Amino acid sequence: WESEAQEIGSTPLVTIRDHYFRIHELHTLLPLIPSGCRLLDVGCGTGFGTLAFSRRSSYVLGVDYSDKMIRWANRLKNDPEYRGEVSSEFSPMWDLACVGTSDSRIEFLQEDVTGLTFDRPPFDVITGQRILINLPSHEIQMKALAQFREHTEAGGMLILTEATLQGHQRTDEYRDPFGLPILEKYWHNNYVDESRFDEWREVGWEVQRDMGFATYTLLSKVIYPTACGPDNCEFLSGANAAAMEMACLFRSQQSVEEIGQEAFLQMYIDRVSYYDKPVAGEISRWVAKNSSKLSDWSRLGHQRLIIASAC
């Protein structure tokens, strides 16, 4: 992660290359955060999400294992010109530039999540995106969860986005009939096992629910690559920008059913056309031939938003 921060730490892409998913993820997560809470953002990276969370928080502390990540996060907070550039290029929904450089509500520290050392009052909410999967074993994941509980108020919330074993399996199985390869699995990731959520009680967390990102996955990981060919797809494409917009409006298959799949897919094609007309044409032709083959996609997505309460 020090190397990642050195190479591309000047952008939010350092923590996830699929930035349009990141925007949809934050759009889904933010309303879940109680207004005026004290929030701990674990694995905060370069602070992009932390600044977004500050819109809902009376105080937010971002921590990361990488010292270089924390340096970039502090620059994002303290350098108005740089923050304005990042906000303009990477933040289509929230104006990060409005954060004041002397804002004492926002703080960044270098910390190891398996042994947090800071001295702060307990937090109401802990957030993290893909923090557990970057810990090398289930035992170390549980150690981190125990640390989070030690720094949380009674009745506090834990909101994590994690890639799961089962999420990968469900998505790979859905993509297979369309001739798509399995999603890339990274060597350094230890994917969360949904079947072991009950064990989180042992370290003080009761998993209440896990939410998916099915709409974004359907559009960006099934329809777009099938229509255009997986080798012709890019994370920062017009098709994925449109997928983000549509997913923010219709997060799940259930919400899509309110207007009907046909109308929903036409809306997607129209938005892709705004960014990239040739790609919109490819997707339109694919939809005309194959939309009837789209079976139940309500559980699509290798990423899951896990919501737990302190017990």
Side-chain angles (χ1 to χ4, degrees):
W1 292 113
E2 290 285 272
S3 175
E4 288 280 285
Q6 181 71 32
E7 292 177 12
I8 56 172
S10 61
T11 80
L13 306 181
V14 67
T15 53
I16 183 170
R17 302 299 193 266
D18 191 351
H19 186 66
Y20 288 122
F21 170 76
R22 179 81 165 116
I23 296 298
H24 173 44
E25 172 184 47
L26 291 173
H27 180 267
T28 305
L29 192 161
L30 275 166
L32 302 174
I33 297 174
S35 179
C37 69
R38 288 176 47 81
L39 185 145
L40 173 63
D41 186 26
V42 293
C44 67
T46 57
F48 180 85
T50 317
L51 262 62
F53 298 149
S54 72
R55 301 168 63 88
R56 302 282 298 168
S57 312
S58 60
Y59 169 76
V60 57
L61 172 62
V63 300
D64 199 278
Y65 185 76
S66 166
D67 178 64
K68 287 188 174 69
M69 293 283 192
I70 294 299
R71 292 182 192 178
W72 279 112
N74 277 315
R75 182 180 175 187
L76 187 63
K77 176 195 170 189
N78 298 324
D79 184 337
E81 182 177 358
Y82 169 63
R83 188 171 63 253
E85 292 171 356
V86 171
S87 183
S88 177
E89 184 174 359
F90 294 102
S91 187
M93 294 190 179
W94 311 284
D95 181 14
L96 302 183
C98 68
V99 176
T101 58
S102 60
D103 196 335
S104 60
R105 300 180 307 110
I106 305 169
E107 189 177 7
F108 293 102
L109 295 174
Q110 191 277 326
E111 288 276 354
D112 181 346
V113 296
T114 64
L116 297 169
T117 63
F118 58 75
D119 183 16
R120 300 290 187 280
F123 292 88
D124 304 302
V125 179
I126 295 183
T127 58
Q129 294 80 56
R130 290 159 295 280
I131 182 69
L132 295 182
I133 65 172
N134 285 299
L135 301 176
S137 69
H138 176 72
E139 291 70 28
I140 296 176
Q141 289 176 345
M142 297 295 283
K143 184 177 181 181
L145 288 169
Q147 283 288 294
F148 302 161
R149 180 63 185 90
E150 287 185 16
H151 291 273
T152 310
E153 288 277 14
M157 293 178 63
L158 176 67
I159 308 173
L160 301 179
T161 306
E162 299 288 347
T164 70
L165 291 169
Q166 292 83 356
H168 266 286
Q169 181 179 355
R170 288 191 296 265
T171 304
D172 289 340
E173 290 175 351
Y174 195 95
R175 283 162 52 96
D176 181 65
F178 296 100
L180 294 172
I182 64 172
L183 294 173
E184 183 176 4
K185 312 298 190 297
Y186 298 101
W187 67 267
H188 59 278
N189 284 158
N190 177 35
Y191 297 106
V192 170
D193 188 345
E194 296 174 23
S195 70
R196 304 184 76 169
F197 281 160
D198 285 350
E199 296 179 28
W200 289 29
R201 294 195 195 101
E202 299 171 10
V203 290
W205 295 107
E206 179 79 31
V207 175
Q208 302 293 326
R209 57 179 170 146
D210 67 291
M211 302 164 57
F213 302 93
T215 299
Y216 186 85
T217 304
L218 176 74
L219 298 177
S220 73
K221 298 295 190 288
V222 179
I223 293 178
Y224 173 38
T226 310
C228 298
D231 294 336
N232 299 319
C233 295
E234 298 178 355
F235 285 132
L236 301 183
S237 64
N240 279 350
M244 176 269 292
E245 293 170 353
M246 295 302 298
C248 287
L249 291 171
F250 306 97
R251 187 188 62 79
S252 66
Q253 183 174 4
Q254 183 179 8
S255 60
V256 166
E257 288 171 354
E258 293 180 358
I259 64 167
Q261 182 170 283
E262 182 179 351
F264 165 75
L265 292 175
Q266 186 57 55
M267 287 177 66
Y268 173 56
I269 293 166
D270 290 345
R271 289 308 299 164
V272 177
S273 182
Y274 175 80
Y275 295 106
D276 191 329
K277 288 187 177 180
V279 168
E282 292 290 334
I283 294 174
S284 180
R285 285 186 286 274
W286 185 91
V287 166
K289 295 179 180 179
N290 298 283
S291 61
S292 61
K293 300 176 184 177
L294 295 173
S295 58
D296 178 21
W297 46 274
S298 59
R299 291 285 288 173
L300 262 183
H302 57 301
Q303 309 259 11
R304 305 297 296 176
L305 185 60
I306 305 162
I307 304 167
S309 61
C311 58

